[in-house]
Amino acid sequence: MSQSAADRAVQEAKQLFDRGSYAGAYSIIEKTLGAAPNHVGALGLLASLKLQQRDLEGALRVLRLAESAAPFDASIKFASANILLELGRTEEATAAFRGCANSRGAKPIALHLDLAQTFQQLGLLNDALGNYEEILRLEPGLAAALVGKGTCLAGLKHNVEAIEMFDAALLISPNEPDIYFNKALSLSVLGRHAEALVAIDACLRLAPNDDEARIQRGVALVELNRSEEALALLQDVCRRRPTAEAFANAGLALLNLGLGDQAYAAFDQGVALGRNLWPQRQASLRYHRGVAALSLNQVSRGWPDYEARWAAGLVDPPALDRGEPRWRGERVAGRLRVWREQPIGDELLFARFVPIAKNSAGRLTLECSPRFVPLFARSFPDVDVRAQGDAREPSDAQISLASLGAILMPTSTSVVDGAPYLKSDAHLTSVFRRRYEALAQGRLIVGISWYSNNKRIGSEKSAPLTEWAALLRRGAEGDDRHPQRLGRGEGGGARPARGAAARRHRTRRPRVDDRQALGGQGAGGARRGAPPAAARPGARRDAQPRRRAGDRQV
């Protein structure tokens, strides 16, 4: 059979395949390959027929023959890799996809897009990024590639650069709602919640029934301390399309409003609906349910879920975990090492458990933030207090500071009596007492921590002193029931709700000068807390859906 005759036969078989006449197509391809066994088109269509019958192994064998006949055909390599992926042979598939990406043969842009999106789904963001950059080299104005590159950059935590990609894509495709959606996610991660709200509203103008976007709008409203609006929106989404994400973010809004029982119920529903989510997301839902339970003082329900923070990736990797056996409350004759895991606000909160844990160990070493070494050494004289990383002696057991609660008070808070557990520096206390007693002239002094210099979230944890002006004026007029002087302090504590009690977000505010803000009246302010970010920021939307191996002919 001549090459042209074989080509005509394959074309006829393809037309039958497209009409669903698989037996007729198979008959023609069988005859063609009998006469021209290395005809690449015939081998490709035979592989498609085997895929139609779900004979993945058979299709893979045929594609191997096609690869031998056309070693530089990247589309054949891509089809083989897709089948390996469907067979669960992920390592082989990954190597095959990379081989396809690096093959010397010319690749159409559509194949580059398929490769890039496949790498994204496999979590190989640098590989995906390389393919998107190659696409943009070939066709600089392709919006799908700009969006794909942006989602990769966002996944690699380069959200500023990601936003630049999304903005470039919007110049080309200004009516594409998914681009606004992805831009809103990156803005949210950067803490630019007001801008995120603008972006998600643009998405919803183009796609008003997009429930994922409505959930993201609820996230932005919660972050902007507009929890009543967020709750109404999210509850409507829960009624229309009940998902784990919708209930989890409704739980956040309820926690912000102080409705702990309802928040727990919402998170619980989110956990039930999220059983088919990937494990890290399931763990995140359990963690937030635990925070809600702890906010209600329901420690027996709260602590087990709170421990899911590790699997959820919501705390920094345990760099101070050196592999010693985990302490589970048993008596340790030797050394028990307790190490910090979270920012300083929660480090102070959970330090109350240190002297209780010491009762179960011959020796206890506490690794803490360097700034807290003097404070904890004064407060816990029987404990070996070290700056983090400085405790190198072998330990018989170890545990993170924030996990002590689950060990020491698994069912009741009775182990904690509420007595002060930190001791201030006696000399400094005396100096400050004399100073403020002279300023107060016999009136009550109330100290309020109103300012945080935390570079990431300090503006959320601070308040301009204008909010305290009325209170300070009452003090200036001699009302002894109100504070006279308010101190400025550093409170760069934890990201949302890593401690047992829930915090409530404040809106982002500019840094203020205390004297300018109050016209010289004095300094003051307060901070309020917030629950943890539950289901946010949400799932990114790829530029194109990835194709399965059986979705197209090879």
Side-chain angles (χ1 to χ4, degrees):
M1 180 181 289
S2 67
Q3 178 69 36
S4 60
D7 290 345
R8 286 194 298 273
V10 170
Q11 185 62 31
E12 181 183 355
K14 182 180 181 302
Q15 291 172 355
L16 291 171
F17 181 95
D18 291 340
R19 292 199 297 266
S21 300
Y22 303 124
Y26 186 84
S27 176
I28 294 173
I29 289 300
E30 191 175 38
K31 292 178 183 177
T32 303
L33 287 173
N38 293 323
H39 192 284
V40 174
L43 289 168
L45 193 52
L46 179 60
S48 294
L49 285 163
K50 290 186 177 295
L51 284 175
Q52 185 63 37
Q53 299 170 342
R54 301 306 297 164
D55 180 7
L56 300 183
E57 292 286 0
L60 186 61
R61 287 193 296 271
V62 172
L63 288 174
R64 297 295 193 211
L65 295 174
E67 283 188 69
S68 298
F72 300 117
D73 191 325
S75 63
I76 298 174
K77 296 179 187 295
F78 182 79
S80 297
N82 251 327
I83 293 174
L84 287 168
L85 193 61
E86 289 207 44
L87 288 169
R89 293 155 63 176
T90 306
E91 289 187 10
E92 292 178 73
T94 299
F97 283 125
R98 284 176 169 157
C100 176
N102 296 326
S103 64
R104 289 184 292 170
K107 292 182 283 293
I109 286 178
L111 181 56
H112 273 300
L113 278 173
D114 278 345
L115 279 166
Q117 289 147 18
T118 300
F119 282 132
Q120 278 185 281
Q121 296 212 352
L122 292 172
L124 304 171
L125 298 184
N126 284 307
D127 292 88
L129 188 61
N131 275 273
Y132 283 125
E133 289 174 342
E134 176 63 15
I135 295 168
L136 291 170
R137 185 186 69 79
L138 297 170
E139 190 170 337
L142 188 62
L146 290 166
V147 174
K149 183 177 179 180
T151 58
C152 287
L153 288 167
L156 294 167
K157 300 183 179 180
H158 301 309
N159 282 285
V160 173
E161 295 90 337
I163 291 168
E164 293 175 358
M165 293 298 104
F166 299 139
D167 283 339
L170 286 170
L171 292 175
I172 300 164
S173 300
N175 295 320
E176 175 51 57
D178 283 0
I179 306 177
Y180 291 103
F181 182 91
N182 284 322
K183 180 180 178 179
L185 293 186
S186 284
L187 288 165
S188 179
V189 170
L190 293 172
R192 293 159 58 179
H193 303 299
E195 295 173 76
L197 184 60
V198 171
I200 209 65
D201 283 345
C203 172
L204 285 166
R205 281 194 296 274
L206 295 164
N209 295 320
D210 186 335
D211 283 332
E212 287 184 28
R214 298 177 80 216
I215 291 172
Q216 191 60 29
R217 188 174 199 275
V219 170
L221 290 171
V222 169
E223 292 285 2
L224 292 169
N225 209 26
R226 294 163 58 181
S227 294
E228 293 88 350
E229 294 176 66
L231 181 60
L233 174 64
L234 292 164
Q235 286 180 331
D236 182 62
V237 175
C238 289
R239 287 188 292 269
R240 286 162 46 99
R241 184 189 173 195
T243 64
E245 301 288 341
F247 276 98
N249 283 292
L252 279 179
L254 289 162
L255 265 183
N256 267 16
L257 295 169
L259 302 173
D261 287 322
Q262 295 179 51
Y264 183 89
F267 286 126
D268 194 47
Q269 185 67 26
V271 170
L273 290 169
R275 288 173 181 160
N276 294 324
L277 295 175
W278 49 296
Q280 189 174 16
R281 282 296 301 121
Q282 293 181 44
S284 176
L285 292 166
R286 292 197 309 275
Y287 163 76
H288 293 96
R289 183 177 65 178
V291 170
L294 291 173
S295 74
L296 297 168
N297 206 28
Q298 297 173 357
V299 294
S300 60
R301 292 199 296 182
W303 287 125
D305 281 344
Y306 187 70
E307 287 300 299
R309 66 193 184 280
W310 298 105
L314 295 174
V315 292
D316 294 332
L320 297 178
D321 182 347
R322 302 193 187 101
E324 306 103 312
R326 188 179 189 272
W327 186 55
R328 302 186 183 278
E330 72 279 7
R331 175 70 188 176
V332 178
R335 183 185 298 274
L336 170 63
R337 186 172 64 86
V338 179
W339 42 271
R340 73 176 294 264
E341 149 209 338
Q342 301 192 11
I344 64 171
D346 290 329
E347 189 174 356
L348 286 172
L349 173 69
F350 287 108
R352 68 166 58 250
F353 296 122
V354 169
I356 305 171
K358 174 63 178 68
N359 295 332
S360 298
R363 290 168 292 173
L364 188 146
T365 295
L366 172 62
E367 283 192 81
C368 63
S369 299
R371 73 177 78 183
F372 286 154
V373 171
L375 172 62
F376 289 160
R378 280 195 309 271
S379 304
F380 314 131
D382 296 331
V383 172
D384 179 18
V385 179
R386 306 285 187 88
Q388 61 187 64
D390 287 352
R392 295 298 178 185
E393 300 84 350
S395 301
D396 299 286
Q398 54 96 20
I399 191 170
S400 74
L401 187 59
S403 292
L404 286 175
I407 299 296
L408 298 174
M409 44 183 278
T411 61
S412 171
T413 59
S414 61
V415 69
V416 179
D417 58 11
Y421 59 95
L422 299 175
K423 294 182 179 178
S424 61
D425 181 283
H427 172 69
L428 290 176
T429 298
S430 176
V431 170
F432 283 118
R433 177 172 288 118
R434 290 195 299 270
R435 178 186 303 172
Y436 287 111
E437 283 177 348
L439 290 169
Q441 299 178 5
R443 290 175 292 189
L444 177 66
I445 302 172
V446 176
I448 297 176
S449 175
W450 64 272
Y451 173 79
S452 168
N453 64 4
N454 185 294
K455 292 181 179 179
R456 185 162 56 95
I457 58 169
S459 57
E460 290 180 2
K461 297 164 66 66
S462 305
L465 298 184
T466 49
E467 292 191 358
W468 295 86
L471 190 63
L472 291 173
R473 289 191 191 98
R474 294 188 67 172
E477 293 165 1
D479 187 337
D480 291 342
R481 295 171 297 174
H482 294 274
Q484 290 302 302
R485 302 285 177 177
L486 305 176
R488 166 172 170 164
E490 191 280 324
R495 191 63 183 149
R498 292 195 168 133
R503 333 192 256 116
R504 184 170 301 171
H505 280 299
R506 296 195 63 85
T507 52
R508 291 190 165 265
R509 307 179 188 278
R511 294 183 61 173
V512 294
D513 179 85
D514 52 349
R515 298 183 187 279
Q516 289 180 1
L518 288 180
Q521 292 183 55
R527 54 181 188 153
R528 300 163 66 190
R536 43 191 191 251
R540 295 207 173 259
R541 301 181 181 177
D542 294 335
Q544 301 278 347
R546 190 176 80 81
R547 298 190 179 105
R548 291 167 54 86
D551 288 342
R552 61 179 189 142
Q553 297 168 20
V554 181

